[in-house]
């Protein structure tokens, strides 16, 4: 954790200020069973400025964006978006936590940056390399082989005809975010 | 009818059959799809985990390209999107810019370097929305050639074509696929799992959780002949890990999973090179035999009546 300042959660706090702790979000969440803090509990922690506990919690990384909580929240709060905001915060404030998810999403964006469109086999190859776990690829080997047999995935690092990267766009976004 | 078409990255790779069967079905139903030139990735679930601005810029780039085509062709067409994740990312842009002052200007400041501008002029619509609200079900009914009698079919909608924006179906109790299942002569498998989550990218980042969610869905479809999907992520999660899940739970959970346009195409008698069922990962032997029997009955019937 880089910092435990209470300001970090400021923007997120604003988004859930009106939470009444009813727990509809938790009752609707398909992933609550695997979380260390239920969504309702996480909102309470945010509102109480428990920055460190919030950003080391597994809760937001387990959100699969099903939008049940957002749909059902009686206060109409954008709870799925809040999970996204917390994921982004954790990426900068707690970079060593959630290594697998951060690496996967990072590689995903690199693939878009390089090719404009995602090259699925390249994404998985680089993800496995970065994870440095020789057993990990085995979990997906069967599926990858099936896709190859059906000629459904292209070879990694081969540029598709007519595709191009989005270098300038990514650079401009970075520039604007640094200014903000 | 005409639409701009955004296939998205998966439909060029692991979900090729979703792309090819959608194009074939829409053509058979007398609809033209005009692919958005130079489209790029919508950001999937990755962009919003890394950069908020990028998560808006990526889908908007493609929307701006569609608007450019619309201006050049002097046609205002809706954008048809078969992938639920792409659909939501594209649709969310026009929703969020109305509630976040300055967001549109920020997005356009980035797109400017490619000479693009987004004006929020075109409607983004899911394939299931267009099938449900633009296509006349009687038109489909009249074209049914292969009746799926004695088939029980489980419609699986997943999340993001239903939520958070309830556009064409009830996000708590979806039923928009049912008319197509009944039109094909099959019965609708009764279950509550239609709108439940498949775990999305958990299968890669949190496989132990992803497998639990998929196992719940497969278990409840046990007595159905197949599950229909309208999203490449759902399809891959439901069909790609059946063996592992069966092994872990000591229960046989293999079941045929098809994309909705593949199924409607099969019922309308489109050939395999249009429905591309050769590309699916799990069409069970039981399903295949039952389907062949339906075909045989049909050809016997035709011979008898001739």
């Amino acid at each position: 954790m880089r910092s435990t300042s209470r300001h970090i959660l400021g923007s997120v706090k604003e988004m859930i200020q009106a939470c009444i702790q009813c727990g509809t979000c938790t009752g609707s969440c398909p992933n609550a069973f695997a979380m260390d803090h239920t969504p309702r509990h996480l909102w309470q922690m945010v509102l109480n400025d428990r920055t460190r506990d919030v950003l080391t919690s597994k809760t937001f990384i387990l959100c699969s964006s099903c939008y049940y909580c957002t749909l059902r929240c009686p206060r109409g709060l954008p709870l799925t978006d809040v999970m996204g905001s917390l994921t982004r915060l954790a990426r900068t404030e707690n970079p060593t936590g959630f290594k697998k998810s951060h690496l996967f999403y990072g590689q995903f964006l690199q693939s878009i940056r390089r090719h404009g469109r995602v090259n699925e086999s390249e994404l998985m190859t680089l993800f496995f390399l970065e994870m440095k776990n020789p057993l990990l690829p085995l979990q997906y080997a069967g599926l990858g082989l099936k896709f190859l047999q059906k000629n459904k995935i292209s070879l990694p690092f081969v540029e598709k005809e007519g595709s191009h990267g989005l270098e300038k766009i990514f650079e401009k976004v970075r520039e604007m975010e640094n200014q903000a | 009818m005409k639409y701009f078409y955004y296939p998205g990255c998966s439909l060029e790779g692991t979900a090729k059959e979703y792309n090819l069967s959608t194009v074939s079905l829409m053509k058979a139903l007398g609809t033209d799809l005009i692919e958005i030139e130079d489209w790029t990735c919508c950001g999937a679930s990755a962009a919003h985990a890394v950069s908020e601005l990028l998560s808006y810029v990526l889908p908007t780039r493609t929307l701006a390209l569609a608007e450019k085509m619309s201006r050049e062709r002097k046609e205002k067409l809706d954008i048809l999107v078969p992938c639920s994740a792409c659909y939501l990312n594209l649709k969310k842009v026009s929703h969020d810019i109305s509630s976040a002052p300055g967001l549109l200007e920020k997005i356009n400041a980035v797109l400017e370097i490619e000479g693009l501008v987004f004006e929020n002029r075109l409607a983004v619509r899911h394939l299931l929305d267009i099938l449900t609200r633009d296509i006349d079900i009687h038109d489909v009914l009249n074209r049914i050639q292969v009746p799926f009698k004695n088939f029980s079919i489980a419609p699986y909608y997943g999340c993001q074509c239903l939520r958070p924006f309830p556009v064409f179906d009830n996000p708590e109790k979806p039923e928009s696929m049912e008319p197509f299942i009944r039109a094909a002569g099959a019965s609708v498998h009764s279950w509550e799992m239609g709108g439940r989550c498949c775990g999305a990218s958990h299968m890669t980042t949190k496989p132990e959780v992803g497998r639990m969610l998929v196992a719940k869905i497969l278990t409840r479809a046990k007595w159905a002949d197949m599950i229909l999907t309208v999203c490449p992520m759902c399809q891959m999660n439901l069909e790609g890990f059946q063996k592992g899940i069966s092994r872990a739970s000591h229960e046989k959970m293999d079941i045929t999973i098809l994309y909705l346009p593949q199924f409607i195409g099969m019922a309308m008698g489109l050939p395999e090179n249009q429905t591309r069922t050769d590309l699916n990962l799990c069409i069970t032997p039981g399903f295949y035999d039952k389907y062949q029997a339906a075909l045989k009955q049909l050809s016997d019937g035709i011979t008898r009546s001739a």
Side-chain angles (χ1 to χ4, degrees):
Chain A
M1 282 290 297
R2 279 190 186 158
S3 139
T4 48
S5 157
R6 52 171 54 197
H7 305 300
I8 294 170
L9 293 178
S11 59
V12 179
K13 231 170 130 175
E14 235 170 77
M15 292 167 92
I16 53 165
Q17 203 62 256
C19 173
I20 51 168
Q21 291 287 299
C22 69
T24 304
C25 46
T26 298
S28 307
C29 181
N31 299 297
F33 73 93
M35 293 169 171
D36 46 359
H37 303 287
T38 62
R40 181 202 61 77
H41 191 200
L42 189 74
W43 314 142
Q44 191 192 39
M45 285 158 56
V46 170
L47 292 171
N48 288 332
D49 291 310
R50 288 168 58 187
T51 311
R52 178 183 284 270
D53 295 341
V54 169
L55 293 181
T56 51
S57 159
K58 287 193 295 181
T59 299
F60 46 85
I61 221 81
L62 277 163
C63 169
S64 51
S65 298
C66 77
Y67 286 89
Y68 263 122
C69 58
T70 300
L71 179 81
R72 293 176 178 169
C73 175
R75 304 294 291 205
L77 303 177
L79 300 176
T80 312
D81 290 350
V82 176
M83 294 290 192
S85 297
L86 287 173
T87 306
R88 287 193 296 277
L89 270 181
R91 198 181 165 79
T92 49
E93 300 296 327
N94 181 17
T96 50
F98 320 115
K99 192 176 144 217
K100 206 175 176 185
S101 298
H102 289 329
L103 282 179
F104 180 68
Y105 293 136
Q107 284 298 348
F108 203 107
L109 287 184
Q110 285 310 312
S111 191
I112 303 173
R113 186 179 186 132
R114 272 193 301 272
H115 309 292
R117 299 177 189 177
V118 172
N119 178 324
E120 290 159 319
S121 57
E122 180 179 310
L123 166 67
M124 291 312 275
T125 308
L126 290 172
F127 172 61
F128 292 149
L129 281 175
E130 231 185 339
M131 284 298 289
K132 299 189 180 72
N133 172 359
L135 294 177
L136 184 65
L138 294 177
Q139 292 175 21
Y140 304 93
L143 187 59
L145 214 61
K146 277 189 211 160
F147 284 140
L148 272 178
Q149 278 166 354
K150 301 265 183 186
N151 198 17
K152 288 170 91 173
I153 44 177
S154 46
L155 290 168
F157 312 110
V158 178
E159 198 67 59
K160 279 181 202 158
E161 213 180 315
S163 79
H164 59 84
L166 295 174
E167 194 61 41
K168 278 199 262 172
I169 287 204
F170 273 69
E171 210 32 59
K172 179 80 185 170
V173 167
R174 200 181 59 91
E175 200 181 288
M176 286 176 64
E177 280 183 332
N178 284 346
Q179 276 169 11
Chain B
M1 263 179 296
K2 270 190 206 173
Y3 301 94
F4 286 131
Y5 182 50
Y6 177 69
C9 304
S10 296
L11 276 77
E12 284 196 322
T14 51
K16 257 183 194 168
E17 67 273 38
Y18 195 20
N19 185 19
L20 301 167
S21 60
T22 297
V23 170
S24 302
L25 174 68
M26 294 315 278
K27 196 174 168 197
L29 291 170
T31 298
D32 275 341
L33 301 186
I34 303 154
E35 189 165 323
I36 298 170
E37 280 163 35
D38 190 36
W39 61 264
T40 41
C41 178
C42 72
S45 55
H48 91 130
V50 178
S51 152
E52 188 177 26
L53 182 55
L54 197 59
S55 76
Y56 286 116
V57 167
L58 288 174
T60 312
R61 181 182 183 275
T62 294
L63 294 174
L65 286 169
E67 288 182 353
K68 191 175 151 204
M69 279 174 79
S70 167
R71 279 192 298 273
E72 284 164 6
R73 303 172 61 99
K74 297 189 173 61
E75 283 182 300
K76 197 170 175 227
L77 307 177
D78 292 351
I79 302 171
L80 184 156
V81 190
C83 167
S84 298
C86 298
Y87 160 75
L88 178 57
N89 277 345
L90 263 56
K91 192 166 176 60
K92 206 166 176 294
V93 175
S94 68
H95 178 267
D96 288 6
I97 53 170
S98 63
S99 57
L103 179 60
L104 177 63
E105 289 72 19
K106 254 185 169 171
I107 297 171
N108 275 330
V110 178
L111 292 179
E112 202 187 349
I113 53 166
E114 286 203 359
L116 292 170
V117 59
F118 174 61
E119 296 173 315
N120 198 13
R121 290 175 51 236
L122 305 176
V124 174
R125 299 181 60 199
H126 193 273
L127 169 68
L128 184 54
D129 175 12
I130 284 168
L131 286 174
T132 303
R133 296 199 295 176
D134 293 10
I135 302 290
D136 185 356
I137 186 75
H138 296 103
D139 196 23
V140 177
L141 205 57
N142 289 335
R143 291 165 194 249
I144 296 297
Q145 306 222 348
V146 186
F148 277 73
K149 269 182 215 155
N150 308 322
F151 280 78
S152 171
I153 298 177
Y156 181 70
Y157 303 81
C159 302
Q160 300 189 337
C161 70
L162 301 173
R163 296 180 298 271
F165 306 120
V167 178
F168 58 92
D169 206 339
N170 179 347
E172 293 281 6
K173 200 180 174 299
E175 47 189 28
S176 51
M177 279 196 235
E178 295 182 10
F180 297 100
I181 295 173
R182 293 202 182 91
S187 64
V188 178
H189 175 71
S190 163
W191 69 343
E192 303 90 50
M193 302 307 285
R196 300 294 173 85
C197 184
C198 72
S201 58
H202 279 357
M203 219 35 124
T204 311
T205 55
K206 300 268 172 214
E208 65 288 356
V209 181
R211 274 195 296 268
M212 294 274 282
L213 299 193
V214 172
K216 269 189 213 166
I217 296 165
L218 294 179
T219 312
R220 302 294 285 276
K222 220 173 160 185
W223 306 109
D225 291 293
M226 71 164 143
I227 301 177
L228 294 179
T229 69
V230 285
C231 170
M233 180 76 94
C234 302
Q235 174 83 17
M236 197 201 303
N237 282 343
L238 293 186
E239 74 177 353
F241 304 91
Q242 291 185 5
K243 263 199 193 130
I245 291 171
S246 298
R247 243 194 330 264
S249 62
H250 306 291
E251 215 177 328
K252 221 167 160 324
M253 290 207 206
D254 54 334
I255 182 167
T256 302
I257 322 272
L258 293 183
Y259 289 106
L260 177 69
Q262 291 187 295
F263 164 68
I264 301 176
M266 280 166 94
M268 281 168 49
L270 299 185
E272 193 189 67
N273 65 11
Q274 292 187 28
T275 59
R276 296 311 302 266
T277 45
D278 57 314
L279 292 177
N280 291 70
L281 297 187
C282 59
I283 293 184
T284 64
F287 176 86
Y288 186 77
D289 291 348
K290 207 166 164 179
Y291 175 61
Q292 290 302 322
L295 284 179
K296 191 169 178 299
Q297 230 175 17
L298 191 73
S299 63
D300 287 354
I302 292 167
T303 332
R304 257 201 308 277
S305 61

